[in-house]
Amino acid sequence: MTKEILKFALLFVVLVLCQVVVFNHICLFGVAIPLVFIYFIVKLPVTLGVNWLMTLAFLLGLTIDIFSNTQGMNALACTVLSVCRQPVLRLYVPRQDDLSNPEPSIRTLGLAVFMKYVLTMSVLYCILFFAIEAFAFFNPLQLLLRIVFSTILTFIIILAFDGFVTPRR
Amino acid sequence: MRNLINFFVRYSAWFVFVFYVVLSCILLFQKNPYQHHVYLTSAGAVTAAVYDVSSNVTGYINLRDINEDLQRRNATLEAEAVALHHQVRQLRQQLLQDSLRGLDTLGRFDFIIASVINNSVIHPYNYITLDKGRADGLKPDMGVMDQNGVVGVVNVVSERHSRVISLLNPNFRLLCKLRGNDAFGSLVWDGKTPSEAILEDLPKQVKFGEGDTIVTSGYSAMFPEGIPVGVIMGSTRGKDDNFNTLRIRLLTDFTTLSTVKVISNRDIADIQAAETDLH
């Protein structure tokens, strides 16, 4: 139990540092921004209560906000995303009691389901984040391009990151 | 009573959800950047420490471009210095003749050199973090420029760090004028690319050409008059018939900012006192 908490605390710190030091400065073709820190919400165990899930997601978003001066944008999007996580998982994994390990990963869900799950979460987050951002300048074409390409970039980097941090059998 | 407790326990998720959403919306709709608390910005102690370390590593990456900019700027300044020496000599001679005293308007500005430790250009509201703070004499509302032109204005100050509202932020409007002409308009970012902005409300009768330079107006205490801001790219149709709206290419390259100058105005207390007396 303590080991799990330490593991997720480390993951939180590593993801926040990666996001604010590296990924926040990436903007491919002026549209694609990787929002890799949602990997933390993706990886939290499914047995975790929804209150804890929301609290951790809110804190994650707030930390990113403080670093990138976005004032509440990521906090709001993360809170909403964390609430959407359970329905998304239920969509692909109808019976969660069958899972051998409560932590979603390629091994517990299978490659195809895990990829679908990560892609859905990335799409949801990019839609939420860029819709909130569009309160400042509303430009429909740019909004659409940003959502589509940021989703693709986020998805690819999260999969790569997952391959990097998951221990080999 | 037990029913009430049961009710709260059963629907606790909803209360927690609404609580977090309201909290983030309060942050989100706090539009005025001067109301942001220092610990919720990148000038806070922990955030600034992280950016200090990362800028120590990444600070070398753009040095080649910055060096080129500095060389160019150095060359123009040297040429200007030669011209000014010449002018000073002439004026001294004239001074002896007229026994008049020259006014020293630029003397009331001091410059504080600071390093950029974090910078963003991809958000709608962009901010810059500097490694100098209150201890180095920075105060909110001081102007910031680099070797090419205007960068922004200091907004939140902590003991050793500060956050600057970038020119790439619609919360910041800057009064600018054409070089060699006193007609002014207001410069604001339209969120399209980090290298372009819009000059609004320039009176229709003012003549301009593509490639003309836009400089600060000197009407605010933040910037001295005549600091370059951008170059006219062309005009877009104004909303109002009496005013022109121009598209401006910014001289400052916001993607490679590294060292900036914070402008401190020695008379700012006097000017502000005078301005508040008027109201």
Side-chain angles (χ1 to χ4, degrees):
Chain A
M1 189 61 196
T2 324
K3 204 180 144 199
E4 287 287 290
I5 293 174
L6 274 177
K7 196 182 103 183
F8 278 103
L10 187 69
L11 185 65
F12 186 98
V13 173
V14 168
L15 277 171
V16 168
L17 284 181
C18 281
Q19 182 69 34
V20 301
V21 174
V22 182
F23 296 125
N24 263 356
H25 300 279
I26 295 175
C27 185
L28 286 186
F29 319 115
V31 286
I33 301 168
L35 301 162
V36 178
F37 58 95
I38 58 163
Y39 182 71
F40 182 74
I41 302 174
V42 167
K43 283 301 266 189
L44 282 172
V46 286
T47 46
L48 192 72
V50 70
N51 286 350
W52 274 106
L53 186 64
M54 280 191 283
T55 308
L56 290 174
F58 176 78
L59 287 178
L60 176 71
L62 190 69
T63 316
I64 300 286
D65 276 336
I66 290 170
F67 274 103
S68 44
N69 284 310
T70 41
Q71 286 290 323
M73 282 187 204
N74 285 304
L76 182 58
C78 276
T79 312
V80 178
L81 182 77
S82 69
V83 176
C84 298
R85 193 185 86 138
Q86 211 62 11
V88 169
L89 261 178
R90 210 171 291 140
L91 202 66
Y92 300 125
V93 193
R95 284 189 301 165
Q96 286 167 13
D97 308 335
D98 293 354
L99 294 182
S100 52
N101 185 342
E103 188 183 299
S105 67
I106 294 178
R107 208 184 309 163
T108 52
L109 298 180
L111 182 66
V113 173
F114 184 72
M115 278 173 78
K116 276 192 280 186
Y117 166 58
V118 171
L119 187 61
T120 317
M121 294 292 272
S122 313
V123 172
L124 274 176
Y125 193 77
C126 288
I127 292 174
L128 283 167
F129 181 73
F130 292 112
I132 295 168
E133 210 185 51
F135 280 125
F137 303 109
F138 183 64
N139 184 343
L141 180 69
Q142 200 185 3
L143 180 65
L144 193 70
L145 286 176
R146 280 196 151 195
I147 289 175
V148 171
F149 288 104
S150 299
T151 303
I152 297 171
L153 191 62
T154 306
F155 176 64
I156 293 171
I157 295 182
I158 285 185
L159 282 191
F161 195 84
D162 184 66
F164 193 66
V165 295
T166 312
R168 297 269 185 286
R169 251 177 295 183
Chain B
M1 190 64 200
R2 191 184 292 159
N3 281 340
L4 189 69
I5 294 171
N6 278 341
F7 171 80
F8 277 120
V9 169
R10 186 172 309 154
Y11 294 104
S12 63
W14 281 103
F15 290 111
V16 174
F17 178 65
V18 170
F19 175 70
Y20 287 138
V21 167
V22 169
L23 209 61
S24 27
C25 282
I26 289 172
L27 287 173
L28 189 59
F29 292 107
Q30 204 178 39
K31 279 291 175 203
N32 183 351
Y34 288 91
Q35 288 167 356
H36 296 169
H37 193 275
V38 65
Y39 289 114
L40 292 181
T41 69
S42 55
V46 180
T47 44
V50 170
Y51 285 134
D52 271 339
V53 172
S54 84
S55 84
N56 275 346
V57 178
T58 56
Y60 296 98
I61 293 173
N62 295 318
L63 277 187
R64 181 188 288 269
D65 289 344
I66 290 157
N67 199 18
E68 256 169 44
D69 279 347
L70 280 174
Q71 297 283 9
R72 209 174 305 128
R73 182 78 182 144
N74 214 6
T76 49
L77 283 177
E78 221 155 89
E80 221 166 283
V82 171
L84 285 174
H85 271 302
H86 184 68
Q87 219 171 346
V88 164
R89 211 178 308 133
Q90 276 186 335
L91 283 175
R92 269 216 194 104
Q93 290 167 356
Q94 216 174 2
L95 193 68
L96 281 176
Q97 288 170 0
D98 303 349
S99 69
L100 275 173
R101 282 210 185 137
L103 278 173
D104 186 16
T105 46
L106 259 182
R108 61 195 165 100
F109 290 101
D110 285 328
F111 295 101
I112 303 161
I113 307 293
S115 291
V116 172
I117 57 171
N118 180 47
N119 176 20
S120 83
V121 296
I122 59 179
H123 297 296
Y125 295 94
N126 293 298
Y127 296 91
I128 298 162
T129 316
L130 302 183
D131 69 341
K132 293 277 164 70
R134 202 179 298 120
D136 309 280
L138 263 67
K139 291 190 191 73
D141 277 334
M142 284 182 173
V144 180
M145 60 183 282
D146 80 340
Q147 72 273 14
N148 296 319
V150 169
V151 170
V153 55
V154 176
N155 165 226
V156 177
V157 179
S158 67
E159 200 53 37
R160 299 242 161 251
H161 295 88
S162 57
R163 185 181 74 164
V164 173
I165 306 183
S166 165
L167 199 56
L168 308 181
N169 187 323
N171 280 324
F172 179 40
R173 280 178 170 269
L174 181 69
L175 279 186
C176 292
K177 61 179 191 182
L178 298 176
R179 182 173 269 169
N181 187 329
D182 273 337
F184 62 90
S186 118
L187 187 92
V188 69
W189 191 48
D190 62 345
K192 290 206 173 105
T193 81
S195 60
E196 292 169 22
I198 296 281
L199 184 72
E200 293 178 342
D201 301 339
L202 190 73
K204 201 102 192 170
Q205 70 271 20
V206 177
K207 293 214 165 42
F208 61 86
E210 259 175 53
D212 284 1
T213 307
I214 303 290
V215 296
T216 51
S217 67
Y219 290 153
S220 72
M222 293 171 192
F223 292 103
E225 191 187 336
I227 293 179
V229 178
V231 174
I232 297 179
M233 294 171 73
S235 102
T236 51
R237 277 186 81 85
K239 284 168 276 181
D240 198 317
D241 274 336
N242 292 323
F243 295 102
N244 265 322
T245 303
L246 308 183
R247 184 151 273 279
I248 306 293
R249 185 172 60 76
L250 296 172
L251 289 171
T252 310
D253 183 1
F254 283 90
T255 53
T256 60
L257 280 182
S258 86
T259 309
V260 294
K261 285 177 269 188
V262 182
I263 303 162
S264 133
N265 187 343
R266 264 181 246 142
D267 297 345
I268 196 154
D270 283 355
I271 294 170
Q272 274 169 354
E275 279 174 354
T276 44
D277 275 355
L278 281 173
H279 290 304

